Amino acid sequence: MSKIVELWNEEELPIKDGIYFANRESFSLSVQFYPNLLIEKGKKFDLVSFLNENPDYLTSIDITKKIKMNTGEICLLGEGSYGSEGFIAYMTSDEHLKWVMYFEKSNPFINAIELPNRFLEVESSANYKIIIDLKNPIMNINFRWSDYL
């Protein structure tokens, strides 16, 4: 079992902006929320090594929304224990974690809509939306402010 799956099963996530795959791959995300939203893929890193060096960098999570996709897969949204955090998790149809994105200052994610061609639009309580390519979530992340929709 990978470390992220172990943490997920304990309802915890690392406090590090990133995307964490059940297959043990982790990538940092460089995130700027103000004055303009900008999300960029960072470097691959080893989650186990990160947590060995930073054992207290964990947050408890609350799942606030569960959305079943047309494919049968499941999207879970929620928040961390510090209030400013948010996460997007993507699960198999039998509820095994595929990947989870965590943002320390995104605010909770409150809704998601499945778009054509396996895209997912996720809305934060901070009034912006992130569009994720479910075929390749790490390479194709887009975003937009809800005010412009």
Side-chain angles (χ1 to χ4, degrees):
M1 177 183 313
S2 68
K3 186 64 175 177
I4 195 62
V5 171
E6 179 184 317
L7 291 172
W8 180 259
N9 290 341
E10 295 172 2
E11 299 180 355
E12 293 182 318
L13 287 176
I15 300 175
K16 180 175 175 62
D17 292 336
I19 182 167
Y20 304 88
F21 291 90
N23 71 359
R24 293 181 169 80
E25 286 188 312
S26 300
F27 295 88
S28 65
L29 294 174
S30 174
V31 184
Q32 173 186 311
F33 292 99
Y34 299 101
N36 298 310
L37 181 64
L38 178 63
I39 302 172
E40 293 179 329
K41 176 187 166 195
K43 295 183 179 188
K44 187 175 180 178
F45 70 96
D46 183 295
L47 177 59
V48 173
S49 295
F50 171 77
L51 290 174
N52 285 340
E53 294 171 17
N54 305 283
D56 296 331
Y57 280 44
L58 293 173
T59 187
S60 298
I61 57 168
D62 290 315
I63 297 168
T64 56
K65 189 136 192 169
K66 179 179 181 178
I67 301 158
K68 190 164 188 174
M69 304 285 114
N70 291 332
T71 61
E73 295 169 312
I74 299 161
C75 176
L76 299 173
L77 307 175
E79 60 188 316
S81 56
Y82 295 101
S84 63
E85 303 162 296
F87 71 86
I88 305 158
Y90 205 70
M91 316 284 285
T92 63
S93 59
D94 56 354
E95 301 199 23
H96 290 99
L97 183 69
K98 291 178 84 171
W99 55 262
V100 59
M101 280 186 197
Y102 167 87
F103 299 97
E104 190 174 355
K105 296 183 179 166
S106 64
N107 284 334
F109 290 99
I110 57 173
N111 199 21
I113 300 169
E114 189 173 8
L115 301 175
N117 299 319
R118 303 237 335 123
F119 282 85
L120 182 68
E121 181 179 81
V122 183
E123 181 180 359
S124 167
S125 63
N127 203 33
Y128 64 85
K129 295 181 180 182
I130 298 172
I131 299 171
I132 302 166
D133 182 345
L134 295 173
K135 296 178 297 289
N136 192 357
I138 189 58
M139 295 305 294
N140 298 306
I141 301 172
N142 207 334
F143 48 86
R144 57 186 172 183
W145 293 104
S146 298
D147 296 340
Y148 300 116
L149 298 178

